[in-house]
Every structure is written in structure tokens, then in C-alpha cells.
Amino acid sequence: MARVSTLAGTRLPRRVATLSVHTSPLEQAGSGDAGGMNVYIVEVAKRLAQAGVEVEIFTRATRSGLPPTVEMAPGVLVRHVIAGPFEGLSKEELPAQMCAFTNGVLRAEASRSPGWYDLVHSHYWLSGQVGWLAKDRWGVPLVHTAHTLAKVKNRQLAAGDRPEPKSRVIGEEQVITEADRLVANTPIEARELIDLYGASPARVSVVEPGVDLDRFTPAAVGREEAARVAARRRLGLPARGYVVAFVGRIQPLKAPDILLRAAALLPPDLRDEVTFAIVGGTSGSGLDLAGLAGELGIAGMVRFLAPQDRQSLPEVYRAADVVAVPSYNESFGLVALEAQACGTPVVAAAVGGLPTSVRDGRSGLLVNGHDPAEWARALARLLRDPRRRAVLARGAIEHARQFSWNRTAAGLLAVYRDAVSGNRSQGFELATAQ
Ligand code: UDP
């Protein structure tokens, strides 16, 4: 039986074990396996702790010499679990280490007083496997967020990208069956959980991710151009002309190659004026973008920037006239939201969560499919139309304001409260603060 504390009239867990097996919230997002999920876990954990729910995040130790625990923020502890060699294990090799990882999680709990955790929240299917066992062992509810789903990913593969193996599909099905509550980022993901994985609608809640609206802010009204030039100078980008930015992990799923192919198809006069800033590091199989730019004869149009930390990212977005998100799939698309919060319109693929994070025609443009010619047309139209960009920029700021991590944390608290109280929703619902 879960122990709960009463906070502001609602029953909440006192302490949550958050599981993030394959990537640490302490990692810099934007390369390797660190991306939106890392940002999500950090932002939400800080806010849950502020609301009085302590969070302990279990992640695999990927370097020797890491301390067993790190206090990430008041009320948020990161626990490094030793499972397999420190370095050199890919995400695909991690299933063989799940027993060791689970052992580390159970031992950590056993060393505390009985009933230390009131709830387990697992992120990604590997963590769900661990959470499934922990939930039974501790007698507490399991809340699971998939972040990505193999069946969805396999339907929208980039050319040459490896399909997710059957073992992952089975692992996801097991977790989706066993979890007490499933958190989906968007109503579309909720439908995928129900239609493709047979999740019962009563266990599915939609909690939309957010954006740090204090950090990702637009330039002051009337100062947009000056801020753009200043940001470009600091980033080493040309002060004149247009900048189209791609921010994210360099991997086939994110399709930055489509953007370069589109760059090569821009009308010649525009080509002379546009710089494509590619921000982020290699992930998984990666992509040889420098080689591709050379082959396409556009090397002079492309600048590569290393992964940027949260302090520098607003400058990247403000430096750009347009941020492009051409992914084959995104469960939500935090980059799109961050860019809009900074007042930069987004051109995004109409897939996954992107139609939620980008309001087509209001805060940016959605492009159907991944035909580089179609992308070149969309970019050219927007770059040549400063009035349209200004209207979309205002729409982007307005749209992004609806999303905040405070709202996400409030939605999760509502799910947690229901989970520890054994409540069920009547079909999938948008979880919000009460
Ligand atoms: N990111 C970052 N530095 C970079 C590139 C990306 O911090 O150089 C962050 C970005 O701000 C966003 C996250 O990584 O919060 C990527 O999330 P998104 O949902 O766009 O994609 P995912 O990585 O989840 O596929």
C-alpha cells in the first residue's frame, strides 16, 4: 500500500523513484542519447520537488569515478547505478544489463526505511522493464512515459535507418500492459498507445511537455533585428543575410540531410544569402553532413556548431530567421517550442507531436513529407516574406506561452495523485492542475 502525504488538500506521493536507464539527466542534451527526454526529466523533477514531492532519478553510470549520488537541485537526487561497463555500451546493448540495473535500484531502496518510494515513474521502455519489477516488489503504482514507440518509429523510418527490433516492441507491450498509468505527450501518442499497443484508455493521460518561459524569451519588441545581429556575432554566424537553424541530435530520424538537400534546391539568388546553422552532435549511426554538403556543392552555406547548453540556446534561436524541424518522427518536439518561445517561426514536418507544438499558419508552417523540393519551396517563400515572418513570430510567442514546465509538472502531479489513490480516468484525458 503506497504511503502518501497530504499537500494543499490533495494526496500526493512523498517520494518518487524516477527511472532513466539509458541516459542521465546530468548529460548535455543535443548529442548521443541525450535529448528531449533528459530536458523533460530535469525540468519536471525540479518543479515536482518545489511542490513537495522528492524525486530520486536512477540512471546508469557511464563513467568511472562518478559519485553514487548527486544532488541536482533541492529535493532532486541523481543515483548512479553500476550496470555493465562504464563506457562503450550502446542503447541497443542495454537490455543485457537490465538485471544488474534493477538489482542496483532494489538495493538502493532496501538500504532505506521500508516504503521509501510511493511511486515509480519510468521513462522509455528500458526503464519501464525495471519499473515493472520495482512496482511489484515495493507494492507501489508504476507511471510510464514511453517518449518514443517502436511501432510508430518503424512506420516512419528514414531511408537506410535501422528498424527497431521485435524485442523492443515486445518489451514495450509488456510495460504498457503492466503500468498503472501511461503518460502520453500528445493526444496522438495517446491514440497510438491505445490503437497500436492495446492500452486501456482509462489508464492513459495526456500531459504535454513544456518550455522554460523564463529562459526562452523573445528579444524586446523593436529590438529583434539588433538582438539577431548580436546573437549571430557571438555564435560566429554571418551578421547579414538569412539564417536557417537546425537544433538537435544528428541522426537519420531528425533528417538534417533533407534540409541540406533543400538548401541545394533554393533559387540561386537566395542561396547566396542563406546560411544553414546545424547545431548538435552525432547520435546513433549519425550522418556525414559535411560530406553531403560537399557533394551538393553547398559547403559554403553550412555552419556546424557543437551542442549548446541551455544558457546559449536562446541566442541560437534568436539568431535564426527560421528554425527547421524536418524530423521523420517527433513525439513532441521541444526544439520547436523553444524556438517559438524565442520569437522564431518554425518550419516543421507534419508528423508526430509537431502539429501540436507548431500551429500551422499561425506560429510556423508544417510541411507534408520529406521531399527536399517541397522543403526548399516552403523555406524560400518564408525567407522572402518578412511580413509573414513577423506575423508568424508574434504567433509563435503566443503559441509557446501556452506550454510551460509548471503546467507539465501540475499535470503529472494530477496523474500521480490518481495513481496513488487508485483512481482511473474515464478514457484518456488531458491531465491538468486542479
Ligand atoms: N538541445 C540542447 N543543445 C543542443 C541541441 C539540443 O540542449 O545543442 C536540447 C534542446 O534544447 C531540446 C532537446 O535537446 O530541449 C531536444 O528535444 P527534442 O524534443 O527537440 O528532440 P529529442 O532529442 O527528444 O528527439
Side-chain angles (χ1 to χ4, degrees):
M1 185 65 187
R3 291 169 312 128
V4 291
S5 67
T6 301
L7 196 89
T10 56
R11 280 155 52 80
L12 291 169
R14 287 189 313 188
R15 200 170 291 110
V16 172
T18 293
L19 307 180
S20 177
V21 174
H22 78 283
T23 176
S24 167
L26 300 173
E27 291 291 327
Q28 161 71 59
S31 69
D33 288 326
M37 187 182 115
N38 304 61
V39 172
Y40 183 110
I41 290 175
V42 170
E43 297 293 345
V44 155
K46 286 192 291 196
R47 285 162 179 85
L48 293 177
Q50 283 160 9
V53 179
E54 280 179 46
V55 180
E56 295 192 12
I57 306 169
F58 290 83
T59 192
R60 200 177 78 85
T62 52
R63 277 194 301 278
S64 62
L66 287 173
T69 58
V70 175
E71 190 184 18
M72 198 182 79
V76 183
L77 198 70
V78 176
R79 288 180 171 276
H80 290 122
V81 177
I82 296 175
F86 291 115
E87 275 141 13
L89 270 194
S90 71
K91 193 166 67 176
E92 289 67 35
E93 290 170 299
L94 286 181
Q97 296 302 326
M98 285 305 95
C99 194
F101 191 92
T102 308
N103 180 277
V105 172
L106 296 184
R107 276 192 184 169
E109 193 266 353
S111 70
R112 314 306 293 253
S113 48
W116 188 250
Y117 304 108
D118 302 310
L119 185 141
V120 189
H121 188 168
S122 53
H123 294 269
Y124 194 66
W125 76 278
L126 289 171
S127 303
Q129 290 280 319
V130 180
W132 172 14
L133 211 144
K135 149 205 157 86
D136 276 0
R137 179 74 188 77
W138 302 338
V140 300
L142 171 65
V143 176
H144 179 69
T145 307
H147 292 277
T148 66
L149 292 165
K151 287 186 188 178
V152 176
K153 201 174 162 195
N154 285 350
R155 285 176 164 192
Q156 293 157 332
L157 279 185
D161 206 358
R162 264 197 324 265
E164 292 297 318
K166 184 86 182 131
S167 54
R168 174 176 168 186
V169 173
I170 294 168
E172 286 180 340
E173 286 170 346
Q174 290 164 333
V175 174
I176 288 166
T177 303
E178 294 296 328
D180 297 273
R181 296 297 291 248
L182 295 158
V183 174
N185 284 332
T186 59
I188 293 168
E189 192 188 336
R191 279 256 66 92
E192 290 162 351
L193 287 164
I194 294 163
D195 296 344
L196 303 180
Y197 285 85
S200 86
R203 288 185 296 121
V204 181
S205 299
V206 178
V207 180
E208 286 166 335
V211 59
D212 182 344
L213 293 169
D214 295 325
R215 182 180 297 288
F216 295 98
T217 54
V221 177
R223 299 271 311 144
E224 292 89 348
E225 194 48 39
R228 192 168 294 132
V229 171
R232 288 184 186 183
R233 288 227 166 87
R234 274 193 285 274
L235 293 164
L237 296 169
R240 289 166 60 87
Y242 304 111
V243 170
V244 175
F246 166 94
V247 177
R249 294 179 281 157
I250 310 298
Q251 53 174 215
L253 183 78
K254 296 273 175 189
D257 49 326
I258 297 296
L259 208 54
L260 297 196
R261 291 186 191 284
L265 296 176
L266 287 175
D269 58 319
L270 204 49
R271 276 176 59 163
D272 291 341
E273 290 185 66
V274 188
T275 299
F276 283 76
I278 309 287
V279 183
T282 296
S283 174
S285 61
L287 281 168
D288 178 12
L289 293 182
L292 178 64
E295 269 169 43
L296 295 168
I298 56 161
M301 288 173 71
V302 187
R303 300 285 171 85
F304 294 99
L305 273 70
Q308 304 286 309
D309 61 22
R310 319 253 4 111
Q311 275 84 347
S312 328
L313 271 172
E315 294 249 286
V316 173
Y317 296 128
R318 285 187 213 122
D321 298 281
V322 173
V323 167
V325 185
S327 310
Y328 285 94
N329 189 41
E330 284 290 342
S331 80
F332 190 73
L334 292 184
V335 160
L337 213 52
E338 293 163 2
Q340 292 169 91
C342 291
T344 307
V346 173
V347 177
V351 295
L354 287 170
T356 304
S357 53
V358 178
R359 215 167 147 212
D360 193 20
R362 294 290 183 87
S363 70
L365 300 177
L366 294 176
V367 177
N368 284 317
H370 293 84
D371 176 3
E374 192 59 47
W375 277 79
R377 275 193 291 277
L379 290 171
R381 267 200 306 270
L382 199 51
L383 291 176
R384 283 197 165 124
D385 191 344
R387 280 187 50 201
R388 183 96 205 273
R389 286 205 309 282
V391 170
L392 290 177
R394 284 196 293 278
I397 296 164
E398 206 175 296
H399 180 60
R401 271 202 201 114
Q402 297 168 45
F403 299 86
S404 74
W405 290 117
N406 290 341
R407 183 168 163 264
T408 310
L412 282 184
L413 284 173
V415 173
Y416 288 178
R417 191 194 56 224
D418 282 357
V420 293
S421 316
N423 292 341
R424 290 281 181 270
S425 69
Q426 304 296 310
F428 81 79
E429 55 173 17
L430 191 68
T432 49
Q434 299 297 303

